[in-house]
Amino acid sequence: MKQVKFISLSFIVLWTTIVVKLILLSRLCLKLQDLDWREKLALQNYNLWRKENEDGNSDSTVRLIRDQIIMARVYVSIATMKNQTDLARELQNRLKESQHALRDASSDSDLGPSAPERIKSMGQVLSKAKDKLYDCKLVTGKLRAMLQTADEQVRSLKKQSTFLSQLAAKTIPNGIHCLSMRLTIEYYLLSPEKREFPRSENLENPKLYHYALFSDNVLAASVVVNSAILNAKEPEKHVFHLVSDKLNFAAISMWFLLNPPGKATIHVENVDEFKWLNSSYCPVLRQLESAAMKAYYFKSDHPTTAGSSNLKYRNPKYLSMLNHLRFYLPQVYPKLDKILFLDDDIVVQKDLTGLWSVDLNGNVNGAVETCGESFHRFDKYLNFSNPHIARNFDPNACGWAYGMNIFDLKEWKKKDITGIYHKWQTMNEDRVLWKLGTLPPGLMTFYRLTHPLDKSWHVLGLGYSPTVDKTEIENAAVIHYNGNMKPWLELAMTKYRPYWTKYIKVDHPFIRSCKLSE
Ligand SMILES: *[C@@H]1O[C@H](CO)[C@@H](O)[C@H](O)[C@H]1NC(C)=O
Ligand SMILES: *[C@@H]1O[C@H](CO)[C@@H](O)[C@H](O)[C@H]1NC(C)=O
Ligand SMILES: *[C@@H]1O[C@H](CO)[C@@H](O)[C@H](O)[C@H]1NC(C)=O
């Protein structure tokens, strides 16, 4: 990424220098009206730019070398065109020397002692070329062509570098991709009966402790399950219900076939196989399928997004049904009474069975509240200028967090939670109530139906806040890397990573060969 930034910076420098050259030349041999609008604009910018740089003057030699390099490139192509091979070769040699002298110098102090020599010999060959080849129109034409290419490169690189830095936060790194591929291949080599998990009789037993984990990241899912089991007092009573998507289903299944979670039960499903989850039933799917929605998510310059960072809207996470599956828990698990919902960017550090016996006082959702210090109240998430919102909700109501929620599925069905969610989701077709994600509809759906859990159950912020208290982290039952700095990314905060990496099975051969054990 650094490299991309560097390249794009040097292209911008090149671009500016070409513009300057072009303008100087144009002044000599063209009338101003021959310039197109972009060149005129550049001319105005150039004057500003000049002023800025006049005081310092600490890069005048660097600028001279850059100018020479550009003119040499122009003459190389003219010389080649006019069959002056000797001259072209000579220019090319000087060009190499100058580029070497410049390397990545940005001010005169970065230049080596050979620079004045280079400038002199380049000056000589350039003046020879000028005598032999000078043709105002041709030179201007070449410069224009170079400007256009550089311009395009700047544009594409700029796009690429913001894209990459945003993508870094969202995508799966190579190591995990490698792991996923290896597991997928293994999975399809298995005969169908070997793809079954044991103890399927536990899956619908309401007396056991059931977890719901929806993930497309095999390593993250392995950490959640492994950490929960290692810290469970009676692992045989815990049942993990995983749901993934069609790209990751095989890998996640294979991982747990190869690394069965001790005496606990595990079960992996593919969300794309849920036939009941279709666009006639589910408004978010209907909306996703509608053309308007596609435009909203994919159009590159949506008017409501400031600046360049509309990438958030293209994050597949917002498009993924896996993310909305949390609103369909009784449909996925019709036989269960309670389920603990976990995000895949968490680590379990304690036995969690106490959560199943917390009295939710008739509420549906048990969650930790987030409004304490950071003002995460309803008005932060919902559009209170909208009468539907203003009429139904208190802007000061306390927000709560997804990531570790105990849901009472009997109450859920009684209160038709999924119906409430559908109602709000349908009303938000044009995105005026809230913009993105599952938290705003969650806050609305579970309004006055959420029971606050003790904060030590779920400590948040390890994916964005550098100041989460160490004691709080270490005493937490669950820690949550919410934010962009996920523990599996290079972006992760190093001081929080060990709490997560300690649950990676580093001795597994695939983990080692995919270089995930470092
Ligand atoms: C360029 O020069 C080479 C040999 O010096 C000659 O064979 C060729 O025909 C020339 N081409 C043009 C376009 O003048
Ligand atoms: C769509 O879902 C509904 C209920 O969720 C179901 O009754 C219907 O059969 C499904 N349609 C298809 C085509 O699968
Ligand atoms: C908030 O709601 C009002 C009323 O429906 C609407 O005019 C406005 O555009 C909404 N704001 C946003 C940011 O969508």
Side-chain angles (χ1 to χ4, degrees), residues 9 46 69 81 94 165 237 249 300 316 335 341 394 447:
L9 205 83
Y46 168 62
I69 287 177
M81 199 170 81
R94 297 287 93 79
S165 56
K237 292 191 176 168
F249 165 76
S300 58
K335 299 276 171 62
F341 170 82
D394 172 3
Y447 185 56

Side-chain angles (χ1 to χ4, degrees), residues 81-83 85:
M81 199 170 81
K82 296 204 164 170
N83 221 357
T85 37

Side-chain angles (χ1 to χ4, degrees), residues 22 80 90 138 171 186 188 200 207-208 218 246 249 264 284 352 364 408 430 441 451:
L22 183 58
T80 315
E90 201 182 343
L138 210 52
T171 49
E186 292 291 313
Y188 288 114
S200 59
K207 295 203 181 75
L208 301 174
V218 58
K246 60 170 169 276
F249 165 76
V284 73
L352 297 180
V364 182
D408 184 326
D430 49 2
H451 173 80

Side-chain angles (χ1 to χ4, degrees), residues 274-282 328 331 422:
F274 294 166
K275 293 290 172 251
W276 54 268
L277 197 63
N278 56 48
S279 54
S280 65
Y281 173 56
C282 169
Y328 299 94
Q331 287 81 352
H422 280 174

